[in-house]
Amino acid sequence: MSNSVIHAFFVGRALAQALNQQVEDALTNALSELGKFDAEQRERLREFTEQVMEQAQREAETATMGRTTTTIVPFGSHSGDLQATIDELRAEIARLRAELKLYRNQSV
């Protein structure tokens, strides 16, 4: 064999090793970036979920704040004034309408 053939063999072998190293580095970097991207997306999703749950909790607290409990008394067992009962019911309806309007305005 001639010296140039042996030299070409070693040049080809070095080229193949260098290309193999470049491909390996590129693949390693790509997989690393993919892993980082996946971790960032999972973190963003977790933060988004926490924000949604916190907002839902705040809205639930706001909606239940100021609510009064109403006791239903069967007709005839209440010895009070009928007009006073009607006025109380109208006031309760007015409060509920105001809360509903507030809720609708917050939703828009």
Side-chain angles (χ1 to χ4, degrees), residues 23-52:
V23 169
E24 183 180 324
D25 289 344
L27 183 61
T28 302
N29 288 339
L31 291 176
S32 175
E33 290 299 319
L34 181 63
K36 282 192 235 178
F37 177 76
D38 182 50
E40 289 172 359
Q41 292 305 314
R42 287 176 188 260
E43 181 64 20
R44 286 185 184 134
L45 180 62
R46 185 190 62 77
E47 289 174 358
F48 177 73
T49 303
E50 285 180 0
Q51 288 174 353
V52 169

Short mmCIF file of all heavy atoms in Angstrom, two decimals, residues 23-52:
data_model
loop_
_atom_site.label_atom_id
_atom_site.label_comp_id
_atom_site.label_asym_id
_atom_site.label_seq_id
_atom_site.Cartn_x
_atom_site.Cartn_y
_atom_site.Cartn_z
N VAL A 23 -22.53 15.17 15.72
CA VAL A 23 -23.91 14.68 15.78
C VAL A 23 -24.30 14.36 17.22
O VAL A 23 -25.40 14.69 17.68
CB VAL A 23 -24.09 13.44 14.87
CG1 VAL A 23 -25.43 12.76 15.12
CG2 VAL A 23 -23.96 13.84 13.41
N GLU A 24 -23.39 13.74 17.96
CA GLU A 24 -23.66 13.40 19.35
C GLU A 24 -23.88 14.67 20.18
O GLU A 24 -24.82 14.73 20.99
CB GLU A 24 -22.48 12.60 19.91
CG GLU A 24 -22.70 12.13 21.34
CD GLU A 24 -21.50 11.33 21.85
OE1 GLU A 24 -20.88 10.59 21.06
OE2 GLU A 24 -21.20 11.47 23.05
N ASP A 25 -23.03 15.68 19.98
CA ASP A 25 -23.20 16.95 20.70
C ASP A 25 -24.52 17.63 20.35
O ASP A 25 -25.23 18.14 21.22
CB ASP A 25 -22.04 17.89 20.40
CG ASP A 25 -20.73 17.44 21.04
OD1 ASP A 25 -20.77 16.58 21.94
OD2 ASP A 25 -19.68 17.96 20.62
N ALA A 26 -24.84 17.64 19.06
CA ALA A 26 -26.09 18.27 18.62
C ALA A 26 -27.30 17.55 19.21
O ALA A 26 -28.26 18.19 19.68
CB ALA A 26 -26.17 18.29 17.10
N LEU A 27 -27.27 16.22 19.21
CA LEU A 27 -28.38 15.44 19.76
C LEU A 27 -28.50 15.67 21.27
O LEU A 27 -29.60 15.86 21.79
CB LEU A 27 -28.19 13.95 19.45
CG LEU A 27 -29.30 13.02 19.91
CD1 LEU A 27 -30.62 13.40 19.24
CD2 LEU A 27 -28.95 11.58 19.60
N THR A 28 -27.36 15.69 21.95
CA THR A 28 -27.36 15.94 23.39
C THR A 28 -27.94 17.31 23.71
O THR A 28 -28.77 17.47 24.61
CB THR A 28 -25.94 15.82 23.96
OG1 THR A 28 -25.44 14.52 23.67
CG2 THR A 28 -25.92 16.04 25.46
N ASN A 29 -27.52 18.33 22.95
CA ASN A 29 -28.04 19.69 23.16
C ASN A 29 -29.54 19.77 22.88
O ASN A 29 -30.29 20.42 23.61
CB ASN A 29 -27.28 20.70 22.30
CG ASN A 29 -25.88 20.93 22.80
OD1 ASN A 29 -25.57 20.68 23.95
ND2 ASN A 29 -25.02 21.41 21.91
N ALA A 30 -29.97 19.11 21.80
CA ALA A 30 -31.39 19.13 21.45
C ALA A 30 -32.23 18.47 22.54
O ALA A 30 -33.28 18.98 22.94
CB ALA A 30 -31.62 18.45 20.11
N LEU A 31 -31.76 17.32 23.05
CA LEU A 31 -32.51 16.65 24.11
C LEU A 31 -32.50 17.46 25.40
O LEU A 31 -33.49 17.49 26.13
CB LEU A 31 -31.93 15.25 24.35
CG LEU A 31 -32.17 14.24 23.23
CD1 LEU A 31 -31.46 12.94 23.53
CD2 LEU A 31 -33.66 14.01 23.01
N SER A 32 -31.39 18.15 25.67
CA SER A 32 -31.32 19.01 26.84
C SER A 32 -32.32 20.15 26.73
O SER A 32 -33.04 20.47 27.69
CB SER A 32 -29.91 19.56 27.00
OG SER A 32 -29.85 20.48 28.05
N GLU A 33 -32.37 20.79 25.57
CA GLU A 33 -33.32 21.88 25.35
C GLU A 33 -34.76 21.38 25.44
O GLU A 33 -35.62 22.06 25.99
CB GLU A 33 -33.07 22.55 23.99
CG GLU A 33 -31.79 23.35 23.93
CD GLU A 33 -31.76 24.49 24.91
OE1 GLU A 33 -32.79 25.17 25.09
OE2 GLU A 33 -30.69 24.70 25.52
N LEU A 34 -35.01 20.20 24.91
CA LEU A 34 -36.35 19.63 24.99
C LEU A 34 -36.74 19.37 26.45
O LEU A 34 -37.87 19.65 26.86
CB LEU A 34 -36.43 18.33 24.18
CG LEU A 34 -37.78 17.63 24.15
CD1 LEU A 34 -38.83 18.52 23.49
CD2 LEU A 34 -37.67 16.30 23.43
N GLY A 35 -35.81 18.88 27.23
CA GLY A 35 -36.07 18.66 28.66
C GLY A 35 -36.35 19.95 29.39
O GLY A 35 -37.26 20.03 30.23
N LYS A 36 -35.58 21.00 29.09
CA LYS A 36 -35.81 22.31 29.70
C LYS A 36 -37.18 22.85 29.31
O LYS A 36 -37.90 23.38 30.16
CB LYS A 36 -34.73 23.30 29.27
CG LYS A 36 -33.42 23.16 29.99
CD LYS A 36 -32.56 24.38 29.70
CE LYS A 36 -31.24 23.95 29.13
NZ LYS A 36 -30.38 25.08 28.78
N PHE A 37 -37.50 22.74 28.03
CA PHE A 37 -38.79 23.22 27.55
C PHE A 37 -39.93 22.50 28.26
O PHE A 37 -40.90 23.12 28.70
CB PHE A 37 -38.89 23.02 26.03
CG PHE A 37 -40.22 23.41 25.45
CD1 PHE A 37 -40.55 24.74 25.28
CD2 PHE A 37 -41.14 22.44 25.10
CE1 PHE A 37 -41.77 25.11 24.75
CE2 PHE A 37 -42.38 22.80 24.56
CZ PHE A 37 -42.68 24.13 24.40
N ASP A 38 -39.81 21.18 28.38
CA ASP A 38 -40.85 20.40 29.05
C ASP A 38 -40.99 20.83 30.51
O ASP A 38 -42.11 21.01 31.00
CB ASP A 38 -40.51 18.91 28.96
CG ASP A 38 -41.57 18.04 29.59
OD1 ASP A 38 -42.77 18.22 29.26
OD2 ASP A 38 -41.22 17.17 30.42
N ALA A 39 -39.88 21.02 31.19
CA ALA A 39 -39.94 21.44 32.60
C ALA A 39 -40.56 22.83 32.73
O ALA A 39 -41.37 23.07 33.64
CB ALA A 39 -38.53 21.44 33.20
N GLU A 40 -40.20 23.74 31.82
CA GLU A 40 -40.78 25.09 31.87
C GLU A 40 -42.28 25.05 31.62
O GLU A 40 -43.05 25.75 32.30
CB GLU A 40 -40.11 25.99 30.83
CG GLU A 40 -38.69 26.36 31.17
CD GLU A 40 -37.98 27.08 30.04
OE1 GLU A 40 -38.58 27.27 28.96
OE2 GLU A 40 -36.81 27.46 30.23
N GLN A 41 -42.72 24.25 30.67
CA GLN A 41 -44.15 24.15 30.37
C GLN A 41 -44.91 23.55 31.55
O GLN A 41 -46.01 23.99 31.87
CB GLN A 41 -44.38 23.32 29.10
CG GLN A 41 -43.88 24.00 27.84
CD GLN A 41 -44.45 25.39 27.66
OE1 GLN A 41 -45.64 25.62 27.82
NE2 GLN A 41 -43.58 26.34 27.35
N ARG A 42 -44.33 22.55 32.18
CA ARG A 42 -44.98 21.96 33.37
C ARG A 42 -45.10 22.98 34.49
O ARG A 42 -46.11 23.05 35.18
CB ARG A 42 -44.21 20.73 33.84
CG ARG A 42 -44.36 19.54 32.93
CD ARG A 42 -43.50 18.37 33.41
NE ARG A 42 -43.50 17.30 32.46
CZ ARG A 42 -44.25 16.22 32.57
NH1 ARG A 42 -45.05 16.08 33.59
NH2 ARG A 42 -44.20 15.27 31.65
N GLU A 43 -44.04 23.78 34.68
CA GLU A 43 -44.07 24.81 35.71
C GLU A 43 -45.12 25.87 35.39
O GLU A 43 -45.86 26.31 36.27
CB GLU A 43 -42.69 25.45 35.86
CG GLU A 43 -42.60 26.53 36.91
CD GLU A 43 -42.84 26.03 38.32
OE1 GLU A 43 -42.70 24.81 38.58
OE2 GLU A 43 -43.18 26.86 39.17
N ARG A 44 -45.18 26.30 34.14
CA ARG A 44 -46.19 27.28 33.74
C ARG A 44 -47.60 26.72 33.94
O ARG A 44 -48.49 27.44 34.38
CB ARG A 44 -46.00 27.67 32.28
CG ARG A 44 -44.83 28.58 32.06
CD ARG A 44 -44.74 29.05 30.62
NE ARG A 44 -43.56 29.84 30.42
CZ ARG A 44 -42.72 29.70 29.42
NH1 ARG A 44 -42.97 28.80 28.49
NH2 ARG A 44 -41.67 30.46 29.30
N LEU A 45 -47.80 25.46 33.60
CA LEU A 45 -49.11 24.84 33.80
C LEU A 45 -49.46 24.78 35.28
O LEU A 45 -50.59 25.07 35.67
CB LEU A 45 -49.14 23.44 33.18
CG LEU A 45 -50.44 22.68 33.31
CD1 LEU A 45 -51.58 23.42 32.60
CD2 LEU A 45 -50.29 21.28 32.76
N ARG A 46 -48.48 24.44 36.12
CA ARG A 46 -48.72 24.38 37.56
C ARG A 46 -49.09 25.77 38.10
O ARG A 46 -50.04 25.92 38.86
CB ARG A 46 -47.49 23.85 38.29
CG ARG A 46 -47.70 23.63 39.79
CD ARG A 46 -46.39 23.33 40.50
NE ARG A 46 -45.45 24.42 40.41
CZ ARG A 46 -45.51 25.54 41.13
NH1 ARG A 46 -46.50 25.74 41.97
NH2 ARG A 46 -44.59 26.48 41.00
N GLU A 47 -48.34 26.80 37.67
CA GLU A 47 -48.63 28.16 38.11
C GLU A 47 -49.99 28.63 37.63
O GLU A 47 -50.75 29.26 38.37
CB GLU A 47 -47.54 29.12 37.60
CG GLU A 47 -46.21 28.95 38.29
CD GLU A 47 -45.11 29.80 37.67
OE1 GLU A 47 -45.38 30.50 36.67
OE2 GLU A 47 -43.98 29.76 38.19
N PHE A 48 -50.32 28.29 36.37
CA PHE A 48 -51.63 28.66 35.83
C PHE A 48 -52.75 27.99 36.63
O PHE A 48 -53.75 28.63 36.98
CB PHE A 48 -51.70 28.25 34.35
CG PHE A 48 -53.04 28.52 33.72
CD1 PHE A 48 -53.43 29.81 33.41
CD2 PHE A 48 -53.91 27.47 33.44
CE1 PHE A 48 -54.66 30.06 32.83
CE2 PHE A 48 -55.13 27.71 32.86
CZ PHE A 48 -55.51 29.01 32.55
N THR A 49 -52.57 26.72 36.95
CA THR A 49 -53.57 25.99 37.73
C THR A 49 -53.73 26.63 39.11
O THR A 49 -54.86 26.80 39.59
CB THR A 49 -53.17 24.52 37.87
OG1 THR A 49 -53.00 23.96 36.56
CG2 THR A 49 -54.22 23.73 38.61
N GLU A 50 -52.63 26.99 39.73
CA GLU A 50 -52.70 27.64 41.04
C GLU A 50 -53.43 28.98 40.95
O GLU A 50 -54.25 29.30 41.81
CB GLU A 50 -51.30 27.86 41.61
CG GLU A 50 -50.66 26.62 42.15
CD GLU A 50 -49.27 26.89 42.71
OE1 GLU A 50 -48.81 28.06 42.68
OE2 GLU A 50 -48.64 25.92 43.17
N GLN A 51 -53.15 29.76 39.91
CA GLN A 51 -53.81 31.04 39.74
C GLN A 51 -55.31 30.86 39.57
O GLN A 51 -56.12 31.60 40.16
CB GLN A 51 -53.25 31.79 38.53
CG GLN A 51 -51.86 32.33 38.73
CD GLN A 51 -51.30 32.94 37.46
OE1 GLN A 51 -51.89 32.85 36.40
NE2 GLN A 51 -50.14 33.56 37.58
N VAL A 52 -55.70 29.89 38.76
CA VAL A 52 -57.13 29.64 38.53
C VAL A 52 -57.80 29.22 39.83
O VAL A 52 -58.89 29.70 40.17
CB VAL A 52 -57.32 28.57 37.43
CG1 VAL A 52 -58.76 28.10 37.38
CG2 VAL A 52 -56.88 29.12 36.08
#
